[in-house]
């Protein structure tokens, strides 16, 4: 079952929002659920799509943990004309919000495009001031290799580097790596360590490189001996 708290996608039209949603793996817009199933946990996260920011006040204060603002070249004005004033007014009017992941996703625009660079610089400065992460459209190097810190890949990383309410830990996250020596205390310790690492991921995700984030995940793997479990499974399968 989905948790009570989820993700709000904001944009000027359903077409823009759904074009991004369709690229996220296991996101089911027709059912209102983003199904996360990675190496560490699985979770069913409720999603919603809105163009009217005013209807989100209550959700932002109490029920939304991730806010994804989606803009493209034809809707750039939405960020500064509609969303930014509303967001700043909301923060000034209330003590705080439930939002922990704040993203601005630029559909079809990146710094490598001369016509979009000035706007993106302005947008990035606003994002830094307001605690958002600006995600550019996918970029590629001269060899055609995708930059993993841009595009939907980065968007998905940011959404999954979070401990969602109702998340179900994978079996190896509950002490089953070493059954003979595990205990309830060990299980709880492992969970607390994992939650701490996910909080660290959330804290650094706006400024850290993908390599930094992968190193944090490696810390988790080392702590829980997941590599040893993988090797044992491979050995048993031979």
């Amino acid at each position: 079952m989905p948790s009570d708290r989820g993700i709000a996608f904001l944009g000027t039209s359903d077409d823009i929002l759904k074009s991004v949603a369709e690229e996220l793996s296991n996101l089911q817009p027709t059912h209102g659920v983003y199904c996360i199933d990675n190496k560490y946990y699985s979770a069913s996260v409720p999603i919603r799509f809105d163009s009217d920011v005013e209807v989100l006040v209550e959700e932002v204060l109490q029920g939304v943990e991730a806010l994804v603002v989606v803009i493209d070249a034809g809707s750039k004005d939405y960020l500064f004309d509609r969303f930014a004033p509303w967001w700043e007014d909301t923060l000034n009017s209330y003590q705080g919000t439930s939002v922990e992941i704040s993203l601005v996703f630029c559909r079809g625009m990146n710094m490598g495009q001369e016509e979009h660079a000035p706007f993106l610089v302005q947008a990035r400065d606003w994002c830094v001031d307001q605690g958002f992460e600006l995600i550019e459209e996918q970029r590629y190097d001269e060899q055609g290799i995708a930059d993993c810190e841009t595009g939907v890949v980065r968007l998905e990383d940011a959404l999954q580097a979070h401990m969602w309410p109702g998340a179900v830990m994978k079996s190896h996250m509950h002490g089953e790596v070493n059954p003979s020596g595990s205990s309830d205390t060990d299980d709880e310790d492992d969970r607390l360590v994992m939650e701490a690492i996910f909080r660290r991921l959330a804290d650094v995700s706006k400024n850290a490189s993908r390599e930094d984030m992968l190193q944090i995940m490696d810390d988790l793997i080392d702590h829980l001996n997941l590599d040893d479990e993988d090797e044992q499974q491979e050995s048993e399968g031979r």
Side-chain angles (χ1 to χ4, degrees):
M1 294 292 292
S3 68
D4 293 331
R5 305 165 78 92
I7 306 168
F9 287 83
L10 291 178
T12 57
S13 73
D14 287 345
D15 289 341
I16 294 175
L17 299 176
K18 290 179 180 179
S19 68
V20 174
E22 288 172 356
E23 295 186 34
L24 286 173
S25 61
N26 298 321
L27 192 149
Q28 304 168 7
T30 56
H31 294 88
V33 175
Y34 177 33
C35 299
I36 298 175
D37 187 15
N38 56 36
K39 188 172 184 178
Y40 311 101
Y41 72 93
S42 60
S44 295
V45 184
I47 59 173
R48 59 179 295 163
F49 302 100
D50 285 292
S51 58
D52 184 0
V53 293
E54 300 298 334
V55 304
L56 278 179
V57 173
E58 182 177 350
E59 284 80 359
V60 166
L61 292 175
Q62 300 178 358
V64 170
E65 293 203 3
L67 195 58
V68 183
V69 183
V70 181
I71 56 176
D72 64 5
S75 62
K76 292 189 293 186
D77 292 343
Y78 177 85
L79 179 62
F80 293 115
D81 291 350
R82 295 188 61 189
F83 178 76
W86 170 82
W87 176 257
E88 293 171 23
D89 182 64
T90 298
L91 292 185
N92 290 332
S93 301
Y94 301 93
Q95 292 298 318
T97 78
S98 62
V99 176
E100 298 185 24
I101 305 170
S102 308
L103 309 169
V104 173
F105 185 83
C106 299
R107 181 73 169 170
M109 297 184 289
N110 62 49
M111 291 291 187
Q113 300 166 324
E114 185 175 347
E115 68 272 27
H116 298 313
F119 167 79
L120 291 175
V121 170
Q122 183 184 7
R124 182 182 60 193
D125 291 344
W126 181 86
C127 286
V128 170
D129 288 341
Q130 298 297 322
F132 278 71
E133 176 184 353
L134 181 76
I135 301 178
E136 305 170 45
E137 181 60 274
Q138 193 73 65
R139 287 189 294 181
Y140 300 86
D141 62 18
E142 296 178 354
Q143 286 73 43
I145 299 175
D147 179 356
C148 292
E149 295 179 31
T150 61
V152 175
V153 173
R154 173 61 199 137
L155 176 60
E156 196 145 42
D157 280 352
L159 293 176
Q160 294 198 17
H162 180 66
M163 181 58 67
W164 291 99
V168 178
M169 303 302 116
K170 295 298 178 69
S171 61
H172 49 230
M173 310 305 281
H174 287 289
E176 293 182 19
V177 173
N178 182 17
S180 61
S182 66
S183 65
D184 291 341
T185 300
D186 293 335
D187 295 349
E188 181 62 19
D189 288 345
D190 284 344
R191 182 183 177 87
L192 291 174
V193 169
M194 192 185 74
E195 290 179 349
I197 291 176
F198 270 96
R199 285 195 297 271
R200 183 181 166 197
L201 275 171
D203 289 340
V204 305
S205 64
K206 295 187 176 89
N207 300 308
S209 67
R210 183 177 176 83
E211 287 72 20
D212 291 335
M213 295 183 70
L214 289 174
Q215 181 58 56
I216 296 172
M217 299 307 288
D218 285 342
D219 292 344
L220 173 62
I221 293 172
D222 289 342
H223 173 78
L224 297 178
N225 297 318
L226 298 186
D227 285 338
D228 292 344
E229 180 193 33
D230 290 342
E231 291 175 3
Q232 178 181 356
Q233 291 176 344
E234 290 178 4
S235 176
E236 292 173 352
R238 292 189 185 119

